[in-house]
Amino acid sequence: MTASGALLMLSLMVMLLLPSVASAAGIDAVMRSVVALSGRDASGEQVFATAFMVEAPGRNAVWLVSSAHSFNSIAEDFARVNLRRCERGIYFPLPLQVQIRRQGRALYASHANLDLAAIKIELPGEADYCVLSRDFIADERQLGRASVGAGSQVIIAGFPYGEACNEAGFAFARSGVISSFPLRPTNLYPVFYVDFEVFAGYSGAPVILAGSGGGALLLGMVLEEVFLEELRPQKGRKQLRTRRGLGLAKVLSAPSIAEFIGGLR
């Protein structure tokens, strides 16, 4: 074998050993980047959330991104992240304990004003995963170029009540329609709304625009379900507080996520 041939073979081997990076990748790559996040709150109740992985410097290192309230709700020092491994094309669960707090101090970074947080973690070598590149997270320019707005269909990958679609631990991919207008500029409209029923466990779920050519783009992240609260007068001086779900998801727009990730070290 020639020197150039040996170099090419070595390059191919290195590429096979590295995790995939989703830039203009499709939904399959997104599904491999999404994981279930869970733990227990101060009362011992189970906390369910969704997180996704974004590229970070360092071998096998990723930023695990989710809503800040999901991280904050887990009172324990460790959270459970449900990774996966793949053998001969078959996926198997690979649970990982991630330390998110040490002596009461959070090890994750939270946005100063938004419900957004991330923690840098190192994944085991046997894990099968895909990391989202920074370019995959839409900025203001990409939002405009994608011509996305009210009526656009999106895909949300998440874990309702912590449940996965199979034993390997993959998220459910469900669809919704953007219901608010306008989406830009995002400094005035940092959140938008999607016609999508949110269950517990969907906080932190990525909201994806799937292109006709098989590509995809991260448009935002689910924060919470939208509720309407009313005070209704009762007999006497009492008032009854009612809370009605509107079947809408409140979504943090992607440019805020991109700016936040870009400022992490």
Side-chain angles (χ1 to χ4, degrees), residues 46-264:
Q46 194 79 32
V47 175
F48 300 113
T50 301
F52 55 94
M53 295 179 279
V54 177
E55 62 178 338
R59 182 174 177 81
N60 292 341
V62 300
W63 291 112
L64 190 68
V65 183
S66 189
S67 63
H69 79 261
S70 296
F71 282 108
N72 294 339
S73 297
I74 299 175
E76 302 167 313
D77 288 346
F78 287 82
R80 178 187 170 112
V81 176
N82 290 341
L83 300 173
R84 296 161 291 268
R85 60 185 177 87
C86 185
E87 294 181 11
R88 299 180 181 180
I90 306 298
Y91 290 98
F92 299 91
L94 181 65
L96 178 70
Q97 293 292 318
V98 173
Q99 187 168 13
I100 62 170
R101 203 172 281 105
R102 181 182 292 119
Q103 296 179 346
R105 182 178 67 87
L107 301 179
Y108 51 90
S110 297
H111 194 285
N113 304 309
L114 301 173
D115 187 4
L116 174 64
I119 185 170
K120 187 177 181 181
I121 63 173
E122 185 174 321
L123 301 179
E126 65 269 30
D128 177 274
Y129 59 97
C130 191
V131 294
L132 305 182
S133 74
R134 305 285 180 89
D135 293 338
F136 186 83
I137 306 173
D139 57 20
E140 194 87 21
R141 177 182 54 82
Q142 287 172 303
L143 276 183
R145 195 170 60 190
S147 298
V148 63
S152 297
Q153 188 167 27
V154 294
I155 296 175
I156 299 99
F159 299 89
Y161 299 100
E163 292 297 315
C165 72
N166 51 34
E167 292 183 359
F170 284 101
F172 287 94
R174 299 167 57 209
S175 63
V177 174
I178 295 177
S179 302
S180 54
F181 176 87
L183 270 62
R184 303 164 53 234
T186 54
N187 63 327
L188 295 180
Y189 307 102
V191 299
F192 62 92
Y193 297 90
V194 174
D195 184 6
F196 175 82
E197 186 176 6
V198 178
F199 301 105
Y202 266 94
S203 293
V207 178
I208 305 297
L209 176 69
S212 57
L217 185 67
L218 179 72
L219 297 183
M221 181 188 76
V222 174
L223 297 178
E224 60 188 357
E225 183 179 3
V226 180
F227 289 95
L228 174 65
E229 292 192 353
E230 296 178 312
L231 286 175
R232 295 188 174 183
Q234 301 293 302
K235 290 183 178 180
R237 295 185 177 181
K238 292 184 178 180
Q239 289 185 320
L240 177 65
R241 183 183 296 274
T242 61
R243 198 166 185 247
R244 299 180 182 180
L246 300 184
L248 294 170
K250 183 179 181 181
V251 177
L252 179 63
S253 194
S256 296
I257 302 172
E259 182 180 9
F260 174 67
I261 296 296
L264 297 177

